[in-house]
């Protein structure tokens, strides 16, 4: 089989890298020295090439090389595949032995960091955790990693004081710059790459509930000074929120560069580089803080009542670090995972809302999560939802901002707004995906002039911001219904300097800014999840009726007809378009004979836990009326549709129905 020249050179490079890694030259030198010594002692003829090859075979060197060179059949990607692979996120469940590299993903002109997680210790919260029995559902740890547009996650392991993590992750280390595409990064180049490996530890309870345990940023560059390109370290994970100073456990890590570095750096050079980066970041943050204080004083001088407005310049993340709110928003493009802004809003609304946990009572504890922690946890507060939705809408080219204000009974709240080219202002509620058109009320209009009636739940707005703009509301009233969102009018909105915001919030501006993770493709297979959940719901319904002394007879045709209704419900939620109702009603009328009654009950969930869903359904009197239906010729139906979205988000629609003969 002949190979094209570029493939032949790649193959030669891979073999060369492998030989270097196993130190073949050193082994050959050792064998050569021993052979020459042996031949010299016996005073025999000079050593020939054939004698030397025989010595290599006798020592097993040749067999070792051929045994380790495993070639697999891999489809040759198109020439532009490198661009496609680089721009998409890797999200891999590693079910392989941590010592085995996935060689099909290795490109010969790239440098890789092989990060192994070799167990944990001192997770004292689980000191008394009993060992799980075979087949028993127990709480598990899952470790998520993000590094330079690549995402990985470990296999779930049972929660324990010493969790048995045994996973390996192959991280590509490459600088994207002019002229860097065709050369492998050397030690000096990698030293300038300050992106950390973001490690997020998630605990999943037996009920399926997720808890953010720790969020840790690993500076991996210590491996650049390791003599053989390998180093072992232990990292202490700290808690989050109010427990951000408390240790939760220790992970044992092993770092290895592949291919090995020809020249290593001294530890002093690495520590000097890290120190310079910290100093540069600290100076930028200090200058921004000085500017923010001066800006705030000027804002208060406009009107003393501004002191009580919700103008939030800084927010605390899960690690207790204060950061400018603009740094939580990025321009985020979802590739082919989301097709429209409304679908993006639907996706964000499917991530559950949960306030930051706090020990004891008192006021609400506010915590803004880094995007990676929010996505891995699959739930967060309104601030997390709003910043993610704003980032996605910016990716779709909209002029989007996060609004900080109040709603309802003066409760603090965060939502998103977009400004159209024609001046139209639209509010997006990130928790529900509802959209509201904003039309300001004119307080100076005559009493008889009709005024628009607000449909949105928001009361006041103190400030708006995105990744490059921060504006505070300096109008006489911060009421949303009276507010005019003309950001070019400095008498209504006081803006921060875009240059000042960019100095600490632009990507790469400081080494302390967490990198933006890409979205990952759905982790749920829609058809399989729908079938499995429907079987479980059928079993639970039959058991429930059996306990009531009722028989259960299924109508499979009626079950199938319910699919179109569930599809229409999800389409309306995601796109705001209502269609298909006429066809569904016509199909049901033809399936229900004359003299029979049809009843249906649809319900929506954000999880695939059958027992939790069925328990919730029983709380509804309308659903219970269907589930416990008595009468003549009773036929039951249930249909489940699971709609998969990026990450592990899903929209679960369940519809129960029955038909029976009406008896007067």
């Amino acid at each position: 089989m002949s190979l094209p020249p570029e493939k032949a050179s790649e193959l030669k490079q891979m073999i060369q890298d492998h030989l270097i890694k196993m130190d073949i030259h050193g082994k050959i030198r050792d064998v050569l020295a021993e052979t020459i010594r042996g031949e010299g002692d016996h005073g025999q003829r000079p050593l020939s090439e054939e004698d030397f090859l025989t010595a290599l075979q006798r020592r097993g060197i040749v067999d070792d090389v051929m045994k380790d060179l495993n070639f697999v059949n891999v489809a040759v990607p198109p020439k532009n595949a490198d661009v496609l692979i680089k721009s998409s996120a890797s999200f891999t469940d590693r079910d392989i032995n941590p010592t085995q590299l996935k060689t099909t993903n290795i490109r010969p002109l790239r440098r890789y960091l092989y990060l192994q997680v070799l167990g944990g210790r001192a997770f004292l919260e689980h000191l008394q955790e009993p060992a799980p029995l075979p087949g028993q559902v127990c709480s598990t740890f899952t470790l998520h990693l993000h590094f330079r547009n690549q995402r990985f996650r470990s296999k779930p392991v049972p929660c324990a004081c010493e969790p048995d993590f045994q996973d390996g992750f192959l991280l590509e280390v490459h600088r994207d710059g002019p002229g860097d595409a065709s050369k492998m990064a050397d030690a000096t180049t990698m030293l300038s790459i300050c992106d950390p490996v973001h490690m997020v530890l998630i605990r999943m309870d037996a009920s399926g509930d997720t808890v953010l345990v720790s969020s840790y940023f690993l500076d991996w560059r210590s491996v650049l000074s390791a003599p053989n390109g390998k180093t072992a370290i232990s990292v202490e994970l700290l808690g989050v929120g109010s427990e951000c100073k408390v240790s939760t456990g220790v992970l044992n890590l092993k770092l290895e560069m592949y291919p090995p570095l020809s020249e290593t750096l001294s530890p002093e050079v690495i520590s000097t580089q890290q120190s310079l980066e910290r100093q540069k970041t600290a100076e930028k943050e200090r200058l921004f803080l000085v500017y923010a204080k001066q800006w705030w004083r000027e804002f208060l001088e406009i009107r003393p009542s501004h002191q009580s407005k919700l103008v939030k310049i800084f927010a605390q993340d899960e690690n207790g670090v204060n950061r400018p709110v603009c740094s939580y928003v990025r321009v985020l493009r979802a590739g082919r995972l989301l097709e429209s802004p409304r679908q993006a809003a639907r996706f964000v609304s499917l991530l559950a809302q949960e306030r930051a946990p706090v020990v004891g009572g008192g006021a609400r504890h506010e915590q803004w999560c880094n995007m990676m922690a929010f996505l891995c946890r699959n739930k967060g507060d309104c601030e997390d939802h709003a910043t993610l939705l704003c980032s996605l809408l910016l990716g779709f080219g909209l002029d989007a901002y996060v609004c900080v204000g109040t709603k309802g009974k003066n409760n603090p709240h965060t939502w998103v707004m977009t400004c159209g080219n024609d001046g139209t202002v639209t509010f997006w509620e990130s928790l529900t995906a509802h959209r509201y058109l904003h039309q300001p009320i004119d307080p100076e209009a005559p009493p008889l002039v009709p005024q628009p009636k607000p449909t949105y739940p928001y009361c006041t707005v103190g400030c708006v911001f995105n990744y490059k703009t921060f504006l505070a509301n300096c109008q006489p009233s911060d009421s949303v219904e009276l507010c005019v969102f003309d950001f070019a009018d400095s008498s209504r909105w006081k803006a921060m300097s875009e240059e000042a915001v960019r100095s600490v919030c632009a990507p790469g501006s400081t080494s302390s800014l967490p990198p933006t993770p890409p979205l990952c493709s759905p982790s749920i297979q829609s058809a399989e999840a729908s079938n499995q959940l429907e079987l479980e719901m059928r079993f639970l319904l039959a058991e429930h009726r059996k306990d009531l002394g009722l028989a259960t007879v299924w109508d499979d045709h009626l079950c199938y007809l319910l699919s179109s209704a569930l599809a229409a419900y999800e389409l309306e939620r995601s796109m705001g378009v209502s269609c298909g109702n006429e066809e569904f009603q016509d199909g049901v009328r033809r399936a229900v004979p004359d003299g029979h009654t049809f009843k249906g009950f649809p319900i929506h969930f954000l999880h695939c836990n059958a027992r939790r869903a069925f328990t919730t359904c029983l709380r509804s009197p309308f659903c219970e009326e269907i589930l416990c239906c008595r009468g003549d010729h009773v036929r039951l139906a249930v249909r489940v549709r699971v709609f998969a979205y990026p990450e592990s988000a899903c929209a679960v629609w369940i519809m129960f129905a029955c038909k029976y003969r009406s008896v007067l």
Side-chain angles (χ1 to χ4, degrees):
M1 184 183 84
S2 62
L3 287 174
E6 63 272 11
K7 292 298 173 186
S9 62
E10 284 187 14
L11 182 60
K12 290 178 182 177
Q13 181 67 40
M14 290 177 68
I15 295 175
Q16 179 69 18
D17 292 340
H18 180 76
L19 294 178
I20 292 173
K21 184 179 179 182
M22 63 180 298
D23 193 22
I24 189 66
H25 298 295
K27 294 179 180 179
I28 290 175
R29 279 194 299 269
D30 294 342
V31 173
L32 181 60
E34 289 183 12
T35 307
I36 292 175
R37 244 189 342 263
E39 295 294 336
D41 294 341
H42 291 83
Q44 298 177 357
R45 59 183 174 80
L47 183 67
S48 67
E49 182 178 341
E50 185 177 348
D51 295 333
F52 181 59
L53 289 175
T54 303
L56 287 176
Q57 289 178 339
R58 191 166 54 246
R59 288 283 299 269
I61 303 296
V62 177
D63 292 338
D64 289 343
V65 172
M66 299 308 297
K67 182 174 62 178
D68 290 343
L69 281 175
N70 295 321
F71 297 98
V72 294
N73 294 325
V74 182
V76 178
K79 290 185 178 180
N80 61 348
D82 284 357
V83 179
L84 186 64
I85 293 172
K86 183 63 180 173
S87 62
S88 62
S90 301
F91 199 8
T92 312
D93 286 318
R94 297 298 177 114
D95 294 327
I96 59 175
N97 188 297
T99 60
Q100 296 175 345
L101 292 180
K102 200 171 184 180
T103 55
T104 53
N105 283 344
I106 295 178
R107 289 185 281 181
L109 297 179
R110 292 289 188 269
R111 187 82 66 182
Y112 292 89
L113 172 67
Y114 186 44
L115 189 154
Q116 291 178 267
V117 186
L118 304 176
R121 50 192 168 86
F123 286 80
L124 300 180
E125 187 176 342
H126 302 276
L127 186 61
Q128 304 298 327
E129 197 92 16
L133 300 174
Q136 179 186 6
V137 179
C138 62
S139 300
T140 59
F141 282 138
T142 303
L143 186 65
H144 298 254
L145 272 71
H146 170 229
F147 178 70
R148 294 178 66 81
N149 213 40
Q150 305 161 77
R151 286 182 60 185
F152 302 86
R153 69 179 177 196
S154 70
K155 299 186 297 290
V157 299
C159 292
C161 183
E162 297 183 354
D164 188 26
F165 288 108
Q166 297 294 330
D167 278 286
F169 309 97
L170 197 62
L171 314 177
E172 182 180 319
V173 185
H174 188 69
R175 176 169 288 284
D176 298 317
D180 291 330
S182 59
K183 61 182 181 182
M184 185 179 294
D186 56 13
T188 305
T189 302
M190 289 189 289
L191 181 62
S192 65
I193 300 176
C194 60
D195 297 42
V197 179
H198 192 181
M199 307 171 69
V200 176
L201 184 62
I202 299 293
R203 183 179 75 242
M204 179 176 284
D205 297 336
S207 62
D209 191 32
T210 56
V211 178
L212 176 61
V213 178
S214 182
S215 175
Y216 183 82
F217 294 93
L218 171 68
D219 193 331
W220 52 275
R221 290 175 291 181
S222 60
V223 73
L224 300 179
S225 64
N228 56 356
K230 301 178 183 179
T231 183
I233 59 174
S234 295
V235 296
E236 182 183 19
L237 303 182
L238 299 178
V240 296
S242 57
E243 301 177 13
C244 63
K245 304 297 182 184
V246 181
S247 175
T248 60
V250 176
L251 288 181
N252 302 319
L253 306 180
K254 183 180 179 182
L255 307 178
E256 178 182 356
M257 294 306 304
Y258 180 85
L261 294 170
S262 57
E263 294 183 6
T264 59
L265 302 176
S266 68
E268 292 77 15
V269 170
I270 296 175
S271 61
T272 301
Q273 173 69 17
Q274 294 169 337
S275 177
L276 288 173
E277 290 171 356
R278 286 192 293 268
Q279 291 174 14
K280 184 178 177 182
T281 296
E283 180 62 15
K284 285 187 175 183
E285 292 175 346
R286 185 189 69 80
L287 291 175
F288 180 77
L289 181 60
V290 170
Y291 169 77
K293 288 181 177 179
Q294 177 62 31
W295 181 91
W296 177 248
R297 282 193 293 267
E298 294 172 358
F299 181 67
L300 294 182
E301 289 172 0
I302 298 174
R303 199 172 283 110
S305 61
H306 287 176
Q307 181 72 46
S308 60
K309 286 191 175 183
L310 280 174
V311 179
K312 194 163 190 64
I313 304 174
F314 296 92
Q316 200 172 82
D317 67 10
E318 71 269 18
N319 291 325
V321 178
N322 276 313
R323 289 167 38 203
V325 292
C326 295
S327 67
Y328 290 88
V329 180
R330 289 284 180 265
V331 178
L332 181 60
R333 297 178 180 88
R336 299 191 182 276
L337 299 178
L338 297 171
E339 302 292 343
S340 69
R342 296 194 184 190
Q343 193 178 31
R346 174 61 172 159
F347 157 64
V348 175
S349 71
L350 294 174
L351 303 174
Q353 182 194 15
E354 181 179 272
R355 298 193 186 281
V358 60
V359 179
R364 167 180 177 257
H365 175 66
E366 187 180 278
Q367 172 184 300
W368 296 40
C369 280
N370 289 307
M371 195 177 295
M372 176 68 176
F374 175 43
L375 293 174
C376 296
R377 186 185 173 205
N378 211 37
K379 59 184 176 183
D381 211 341
C382 60
E383 295 86 5
D384 306 321
H385 288 78
T387 53
L388 176 59
L389 177 57
C390 184
S391 300
L392 289 168
L393 295 183
L394 288 167
F396 279 106
L398 300 183
D399 188 19
Y401 302 85
V402 175
C403 301
V404 178
T406 61
K407 73 168 188 177
K409 298 180 179 179
N410 226 22
N411 295 319
H413 189 63
T414 309
W415 68 97
V416 179
M417 64 165 286
T418 54
C419 300
N421 291 330
D422 57 354
T424 304
V425 173
T426 305
F427 293 147
W428 302 64
E429 177 49 62
S430 57
L431 298 177
T432 62
H434 290 165
R435 300 166 68 251
Y436 308 96
L437 190 64
H438 175 258
Q439 294 177 309
I441 295 175
D442 184 3
E444 299 179 359
L448 297 180
V449 174
Q451 297 276 18
K453 292 184 178 180
T455 58
Y456 44 79
Y458 315 118
C459 299
T460 64
V461 56
C463 65
V464 302
F465 65 89
N466 59 21
Y467 70 105
K468 63 178 182 180
T469 304
F470 186 93
L471 300 135
N473 184 3
C474 55
Q475 299 172 60
S477 171
D478 58 358
S479 174
V480 175
E481 60 184 19
L482 300 176
C483 188
V484 177
F485 289 92
D486 180 8
F487 297 147
D489 188 348
S490 59
S491 66
R492 289 191 169 101
W493 295 92
K494 180 171 175 57
M496 272 193 174
S497 163
E498 287 196 8
E499 183 180 353
V501 172
R502 197 183 308 116
S503 68
V504 291
C505 297
S509 58
T510 64
S511 59
S512 63
L513 275 184
T516 306
L519 293 184
C520 292
S521 54
S523 61
I524 297 173
Q525 299 294 328
S526 295
E528 295 178 9
S530 300
N531 290 336
Q532 179 63 28
L533 187 54
E534 187 170 312
L535 289 174
E536 294 177 7
M537 298 304 291
R538 280 196 174 205
F539 172 79
L540 292 173
L541 175 54
E543 288 295 307
H544 181 71
R545 289 178 61 84
K546 183 179 178 180
D547 292 342
L548 298 175
L550 300 173
T552 303
V553 182
W554 299 103
D555 187 332
D556 292 332
H557 178 60
L558 185 59
C559 289
Y560 180 73
L561 294 183
L562 302 180
S563 294
S564 61
L566 301 184
Y569 297 151
E570 182 59 24
L571 182 64
E572 185 176 4
R573 290 286 184 96
S574 61
M575 296 296 180
V577 178
S578 179
C579 63
N581 191 45
E582 298 81 4
E583 293 87 349
F584 170 65
Q585 292 183 359
D586 187 51
V588 169
R589 288 192 185 100
R590 294 172 62 85
V592 178
D594 292 339
H596 284 64
T597 299
F598 170 83
K599 292 182 179 180
F601 176 79
I603 191 169
H604 175 250
F605 295 98
L606 304 182
H607 60 81
C608 295
N609 189 309
R611 291 196 177 275
R612 279 173 59 192
F614 192 73
T615 302
T616 303
C617 293
L618 288 176
R619 297 195 190 106
S620 169
F622 303 103
C623 186
E624 188 179 17
E625 187 178 339
I626 294 173
L627 301 182
C628 306
C629 181
R630 301 170 183 263
D632 191 18
H633 284 80
V634 176
R635 298 293 183 267
L636 293 163
V638 61
R639 193 64 170 176
V640 176
R641 281 295 306 275
V642 177
F643 297 89
Y645 283 82
E647 303 293 331
S648 53
C650 64
V652 179
W653 285 95
I654 302 175
M655 190 169 187
F656 295 98
C658 69
K659 65 178 183 180
Y660 58 93
R661 180 181 294 171
S662 302
V663 179
L664 297 177

